[in-house]
Amino acid sequence: MVPVLSLWLPILLSAVLVFIMSSIIHMLLSYHWTDWSPVPREDDVMEALRGVDISPGNYSIPHAASMAAMKEPEYVEKRERGPVAMITVMPSGQGGMGKQLTLWFLYSIVVSVFAAYVTGRAVGPGAEYLEVFRFSATAAFLAYGVGEWQQSIWWGRSWTTTLKNTIDGLIYAFLTAGAFGWLWPAM
């Protein structure tokens, strides 16, 4: 058994590697640029949303507040007529990505802490590189890759986008595992 605190270096290194790789994937490679499509008549839709003074948050159209409400004829008719949408409204303004990048880095640290915990319980000091790699990659992939599937299952995200995010998650998991395998404590 290897205590999590003794794995602080691979935890931090793996988070840095994931952060750098995600920046490369999203800024330099182009395969995520098609994850979102423009709304037809974007200006009209934006003006309509401004007109109802919608504040930041998550919304569903049509909305049912309970299971019983989902059976009401008015809701069923609205759903049949469409459109059916899940909308996330963010604060207006230029804004930067500082907050999101900070949260992404902290998330990567949390994923690495859990990978450290699982791997530290599964293998001991001096374990072979591939044994450490296998456990830490599996734990990291569950967070970075498999967790994305819920977005398509429940919220209608394109399965193509989810597949791309899953591939990204596999890359992040391998980087995490590489850091752990390389810096795993000797006996």
PDB file of all heavy atoms in Angstrom, residues 108-125:
ATOM      1  N   SER A 108      -8.286  18.227 -12.633  1.00  0.00           N
ATOM      2  CA  SER A 108      -7.239  17.274 -12.997  1.00  0.00           C
ATOM      3  C   SER A 108      -6.474  16.799 -11.769  1.00  0.00           C
ATOM      4  O   SER A 108      -6.090  15.626 -11.680  1.00  0.00           O
ATOM      5  CB  SER A 108      -6.280  17.894 -14.017  1.00  0.00           C
ATOM      6  OG  SER A 108      -6.964  18.202 -15.208  1.00  0.00           O
ATOM      7  N   ILE A 109      -6.257  17.694 -10.820  1.00  0.00           N
ATOM      8  CA  ILE A 109      -5.609  17.290  -9.567  1.00  0.00           C
ATOM      9  C   ILE A 109      -6.494  16.302  -8.813  1.00  0.00           C
ATOM     10  O   ILE A 109      -6.026  15.274  -8.306  1.00  0.00           O
ATOM     11  CB  ILE A 109      -5.268  18.514  -8.687  1.00  0.00           C
ATOM     12  CG1 ILE A 109      -4.126  19.311  -9.325  1.00  0.00           C
ATOM     13  CG2 ILE A 109      -4.898  18.088  -7.269  1.00  0.00           C
ATOM     14  CD1 ILE A 109      -3.820  20.625  -8.642  1.00  0.00           C
ATOM     15  N   VAL A 110      -7.789  16.595  -8.743  1.00  0.00           N
ATOM     16  CA  VAL A 110      -8.723  15.691  -8.041  1.00  0.00           C
ATOM     17  C   VAL A 110      -8.733  14.313  -8.703  1.00  0.00           C
ATOM     18  O   VAL A 110      -8.679  13.283  -8.018  1.00  0.00           O
ATOM     19  CB  VAL A 110     -10.144  16.299  -7.984  1.00  0.00           C
ATOM     20  CG1 VAL A 110     -11.155  15.284  -7.505  1.00  0.00           C
ATOM     21  CG2 VAL A 110     -10.156  17.537  -7.097  1.00  0.00           C
ATOM     22  N   VAL A 111      -8.785  14.275 -10.037  1.00  0.00           N
ATOM     23  CA  VAL A 111      -8.747  12.988 -10.748  1.00  0.00           C
ATOM     24  C   VAL A 111      -7.461  12.243 -10.394  1.00  0.00           C
ATOM     25  O   VAL A 111      -7.484  11.038 -10.112  1.00  0.00           O
ATOM     26  CB  VAL A 111      -8.869  13.188 -12.272  1.00  0.00           C
ATOM     27  CG1 VAL A 111      -8.579  11.892 -13.028  1.00  0.00           C
ATOM     28  CG2 VAL A 111     -10.245  13.722 -12.638  1.00  0.00           C
ATOM     29  N   SER A 112      -6.335  12.957 -10.380  1.00  0.00           N
ATOM     30  CA  SER A 112      -5.057  12.317 -10.060  1.00  0.00           C
ATOM     31  C   SER A 112      -5.003  11.837  -8.612  1.00  0.00           C
ATOM     32  O   SER A 112      -4.388  10.809  -8.327  1.00  0.00           O
ATOM     33  CB  SER A 112      -3.900  13.276 -10.356  1.00  0.00           C
ATOM     34  OG  SER A 112      -3.811  13.501 -11.741  1.00  0.00           O
ATOM     35  N   VAL A 113      -5.632  12.566  -7.703  1.00  0.00           N
ATOM     36  CA  VAL A 113      -5.680  12.117  -6.302  1.00  0.00           C
ATOM     37  C   VAL A 113      -6.450  10.790  -6.214  1.00  0.00           C
ATOM     38  O   VAL A 113      -6.009   9.857  -5.538  1.00  0.00           O
ATOM     39  CB  VAL A 113      -6.314  13.199  -5.389  1.00  0.00           C
ATOM     40  CG1 VAL A 113      -6.685  12.618  -4.023  1.00  0.00           C
ATOM     41  CG2 VAL A 113      -5.364  14.380  -5.238  1.00  0.00           C
ATOM     42  N   PHE A 114      -7.575  10.690  -6.914  1.00  0.00           N
ATOM     43  CA  PHE A 114      -8.322   9.435  -6.894  1.00  0.00           C
ATOM     44  C   PHE A 114      -7.560   8.310  -7.584  1.00  0.00           C
ATOM     45  O   PHE A 114      -7.577   7.169  -7.128  1.00  0.00           O
ATOM     46  CB  PHE A 114      -9.722   9.613  -7.490  1.00  0.00           C
ATOM     47  CG  PHE A 114     -10.698  10.193  -6.514  1.00  0.00           C
ATOM     48  CD1 PHE A 114     -10.996  11.548  -6.527  1.00  0.00           C
ATOM     49  CD2 PHE A 114     -11.309   9.392  -5.561  1.00  0.00           C
ATOM     50  CE1 PHE A 114     -11.882  12.084  -5.616  1.00  0.00           C
ATOM     51  CE2 PHE A 114     -12.198   9.918  -4.644  1.00  0.00           C
ATOM     52  CZ  PHE A 114     -12.486  11.275  -4.659  1.00  0.00           C
ATOM     53  N   ALA A 115      -6.878   8.637  -8.670  1.00  0.00           N
ATOM     54  CA  ALA A 115      -6.052   7.624  -9.344  1.00  0.00           C
ATOM     55  C   ALA A 115      -4.939   7.170  -8.399  1.00  0.00           C
ATOM     56  O   ALA A 115      -4.617   5.971  -8.343  1.00  0.00           O
ATOM     57  CB  ALA A 115      -5.470   8.186 -10.640  1.00  0.00           C
ATOM     58  N   ALA A 116      -4.359   8.103  -7.652  1.00  0.00           N
ATOM     59  CA  ALA A 116      -3.321   7.764  -6.680  1.00  0.00           C
ATOM     60  C   ALA A 116      -3.883   6.864  -5.584  1.00  0.00           C
ATOM     61  O   ALA A 116      -3.256   5.875  -5.185  1.00  0.00           O
ATOM     62  CB  ALA A 116      -2.738   9.038  -6.069  1.00  0.00           C
ATOM     63  N   TYR A 117      -5.063   7.193  -5.102  1.00  0.00           N
ATOM     64  CA  TYR A 117      -5.678   6.385  -4.050  1.00  0.00           C
ATOM     65  C   TYR A 117      -5.925   4.947  -4.521  1.00  0.00           C
ATOM     66  O   TYR A 117      -5.534   3.989  -3.857  1.00  0.00           O
ATOM     67  CB  TYR A 117      -6.990   7.027  -3.590  1.00  0.00           C
ATOM     68  CG  TYR A 117      -7.723   6.168  -2.602  1.00  0.00           C
ATOM     69  CD1 TYR A 117      -7.318   6.114  -1.267  1.00  0.00           C
ATOM     70  CD2 TYR A 117      -8.796   5.370  -2.997  1.00  0.00           C
ATOM     71  CE1 TYR A 117      -7.966   5.301  -0.355  1.00  0.00           C
ATOM     72  CE2 TYR A 117      -9.452   4.559  -2.088  1.00  0.00           C
ATOM     73  CZ  TYR A 117      -9.035   4.532  -0.778  1.00  0.00           C
ATOM     74  OH  TYR A 117      -9.672   3.708   0.117  1.00  0.00           O
ATOM     75  N   VAL A 118      -6.560   4.816  -5.673  1.00  0.00           N
ATOM     76  CA  VAL A 118      -6.877   3.480  -6.191  1.00  0.00           C
ATOM     77  C   VAL A 118      -5.595   2.691  -6.459  1.00  0.00           C
ATOM     78  O   VAL A 118      -5.467   1.533  -6.046  1.00  0.00           O
ATOM     79  CB  VAL A 118      -7.733   3.586  -7.475  1.00  0.00           C
ATOM     80  CG1 VAL A 118      -7.847   2.246  -8.180  1.00  0.00           C
ATOM     81  CG2 VAL A 118      -9.122   4.136  -7.142  1.00  0.00           C
ATOM     82  N   THR A 119      -4.654   3.324  -7.137  1.00  0.00           N
ATOM     83  CA  THR A 119      -3.415   2.632  -7.484  1.00  0.00           C
ATOM     84  C   THR A 119      -2.604   2.312  -6.237  1.00  0.00           C
ATOM     85  O   THR A 119      -2.037   1.216  -6.116  1.00  0.00           O
ATOM     86  CB  THR A 119      -2.589   3.475  -8.470  1.00  0.00           C
ATOM     87  OG1 THR A 119      -3.423   3.836  -9.576  1.00  0.00           O
ATOM     88  CG2 THR A 119      -1.386   2.707  -8.979  1.00  0.00           C
ATOM     89  N   GLY A 120      -2.568   3.244  -5.288  1.00  0.00           N
ATOM     90  CA  GLY A 120      -1.832   3.026  -4.037  1.00  0.00           C
ATOM     91  C   GLY A 120      -2.396   1.903  -3.197  1.00  0.00           C
ATOM     92  O   GLY A 120      -1.674   1.275  -2.414  1.00  0.00           O
ATOM     93  N   ARG A 121      -3.683   1.613  -3.350  1.00  0.00           N
ATOM     94  CA  ARG A 121      -4.301   0.494  -2.627  1.00  0.00           C
ATOM     95  C   ARG A 121      -4.131  -0.824  -3.382  1.00  0.00           C
ATOM     96  O   ARG A 121      -4.122  -1.890  -2.798  1.00  0.00           O
ATOM     97  CB  ARG A 121      -5.798   0.747  -2.394  1.00  0.00           C
ATOM     98  CG  ARG A 121      -6.123   1.914  -1.490  1.00  0.00           C
ATOM     99  CD  ARG A 121      -5.477   1.737  -0.109  1.00  0.00           C
ATOM    100  NE  ARG A 121      -5.637   2.879   0.760  1.00  0.00           N
ATOM    101  CZ  ARG A 121      -4.704   3.811   0.959  1.00  0.00           C
ATOM    102  NH1 ARG A 121      -3.570   3.765   0.329  1.00  0.00           N
ATOM    103  NH2 ARG A 121      -4.908   4.798   1.802  1.00  0.00           N
ATOM    104  N   ALA A 122      -3.966  -0.733  -4.681  1.00  0.00           N
ATOM    105  CA  ALA A 122      -3.882  -1.940  -5.512  1.00  0.00           C
ATOM    106  C   ALA A 122      -2.464  -2.485  -5.609  1.00  0.00           C
ATOM    107  O   ALA A 122      -2.278  -3.702  -5.690  1.00  0.00           O
ATOM    108  CB  ALA A 122      -4.424  -1.652  -6.909  1.00  0.00           C
ATOM    109  N   VAL A 123      -1.480  -1.604  -5.643  1.00  0.00           N
ATOM    110  CA  VAL A 123      -0.089  -2.048  -5.798  1.00  0.00           C
ATOM    111  C   VAL A 123       0.779  -1.375  -4.750  1.00  0.00           C
ATOM    112  O   VAL A 123       0.467  -0.290  -4.262  1.00  0.00           O
ATOM    113  CB  VAL A 123       0.455  -1.746  -7.216  1.00  0.00           C
ATOM    114  CG1 VAL A 123      -0.363  -2.458  -8.263  1.00  0.00           C
ATOM    115  CG2 VAL A 123       0.487  -0.270  -7.506  1.00  0.00           C
ATOM    116  N   GLY A 124       1.851  -2.012  -4.412  1.00  0.00           N
ATOM    117  CA  GLY A 124       2.731  -1.492  -3.376  1.00  0.00           C
ATOM    118  C   GLY A 124       3.943  -0.786  -3.943  1.00  0.00           C
ATOM    119  O   GLY A 124       4.106  -0.684  -5.161  1.00  0.00           O
ATOM    120  N   PRO A 125       4.800  -0.312  -3.049  1.00  0.00           N
ATOM    121  CA  PRO A 125       6.042   0.325  -3.492  1.00  0.00           C
ATOM    122  C   PRO A 125       6.870  -0.666  -4.320  1.00  0.00           C
ATOM    123  O   PRO A 125       6.861  -1.867  -4.063  1.00  0.00           O
ATOM    124  CB  PRO A 125       6.763   0.665  -2.186  1.00  0.00           C
ATOM    125  CG  PRO A 125       5.716   0.602  -1.122  1.00  0.00           C
ATOM    126  CD  PRO A 125       4.677  -0.359  -1.599  1.00  0.00           C
TER     127      PRO A 125
END
